[in-house]
Amino acid sequence: MLRNITGERFMERYHPQLELAPRDVVARAIVSEITNTKSTFVYLDLTHESQETVKARFPTIYEFCLRYGLDLSSDWIPVAPAAHYMMGGVKTDLHGETSVDRLFACGEVSSTGVHGANRLASNSLSEAIVFGRRIVERIRTLAPLDFEPSFHVELGRTEASSQAIIEKRLKLQKLMLRYAGLVRNEKGLKKGLEELRKQSSIFYNKLAGREQYEFANLLTLGLLTVLSALRREESRGAHYREDFPERDDVVWKKHILQHREFGLAEESL
């Protein structure tokens, strides 16, 4: 069960299923309690279960907490929401194939159509296993390349900024959490988009090293996320707009697609 820093159980105020509510509901409830109590966390309380049960059900987490002096079976554990998955991703067919020849995707990077606006617990692992196998089977049917692939290199790029890439990455993470996190609105998303675009000069830089390429990828994903969130003027699953709090199946029961050349588009279900 979840408790705020005063020790009070709070999920009764947010959903009849309490802690078993959809993960986006639980996450927003936690953020609401953190804000209302001026804290940075709430407590996860498993002390109603025996030590044997907790160790058997959560062996890895139990051992991890012990390393920090916390016993899941007797201590309340401080927790806070963290962004670790997204719905959507690279559009593929049922064989994991993308619109780019011989480029495949599976798992949480992909949009295979087996998830809705919210992921179900452990669904992603099943998805990766099923589509990973399908990709292997599809690749086996492809004829080998009979030519050497050519690579296009854009000239005229400038040297990357001297600002430490780790500093820029941290700023990007905080920006996305603040403006495109669990609760979104038009004003915040537009502010986030403005800040993200200030970093877009990296797309015209000579990139060197894994960190710079990773930052460019993160910035790309941040821009795609914010643009899509601005376009979808409703709330659905993990996408929650406080200025459009209701789900709208009449107008918005569709996918939003983004293409490098054609920009934003919509796809009916």
Side-chain angles (χ1 to χ4, degrees), residues 22-169:
R23 60 176 66 182
D24 59 292
V25 175
V26 176
R28 286 196 296 272
I30 292 173
V31 169
S32 178
E33 290 298 312
I34 286 174
T35 302
N36 293 339
T37 59
K38 296 181 173 57
S39 179
T40 57
F41 59 87
V42 298
Y43 289 110
L44 175 63
D45 176 12
L46 294 180
T47 58
H48 57 285
E49 298 285 359
S50 69
Q51 186 179 45
E52 291 73 22
T53 299
V54 172
K55 289 176 69 174
R57 291 284 302 277
F58 312 106
T60 304
I61 298 174
Y62 183 82
E63 292 296 330
F64 180 83
C65 288
L66 277 182
R67 293 203 294 268
Y68 291 89
L70 295 170
D71 186 335
L72 271 179
S73 63
S74 60
D75 297 319
W76 293 359
I77 310 301
V79 297
H84 72 281
Y85 66 91
M86 293 290 291
M87 278 60 67
V90 180
K91 185 174 174 58
T92 72
D93 62 15
L94 293 179
H95 299 284
E97 206 159 6
T98 73
S99 60
V100 178
D101 187 36
R102 295 175 182 262
L103 178 64
F104 296 82
C106 71
E108 292 193 14
V109 73
S110 64
S111 178
T112 57
V114 300
H115 290 284
N118 212 340
R119 289 188 181 273
L120 300 176
S122 301
N123 245 27
S124 299
L125 180 59
S126 302
E127 179 187 357
I129 292 171
V130 171
F131 284 90
R133 182 181 180 88
R134 288 186 176 188
I135 288 171
V136 171
E137 292 172 348
R138 173 63 178 146
I139 290 174
R140 285 173 174 167
T141 69
L142 299 177
L145 292 173
D146 58 359
F147 62 90
E148 287 292 326
S150 60
F151 296 94
H152 172 69
V153 179
E154 294 185 23
L155 303 177
R157 289 179 178 264
T158 60
E159 295 295 332
S161 168
S162 59
Q163 182 183 12
I165 204 71
I166 190 170
E167 178 185 340
K168 296 171 73 172
R169 179 173 180 149

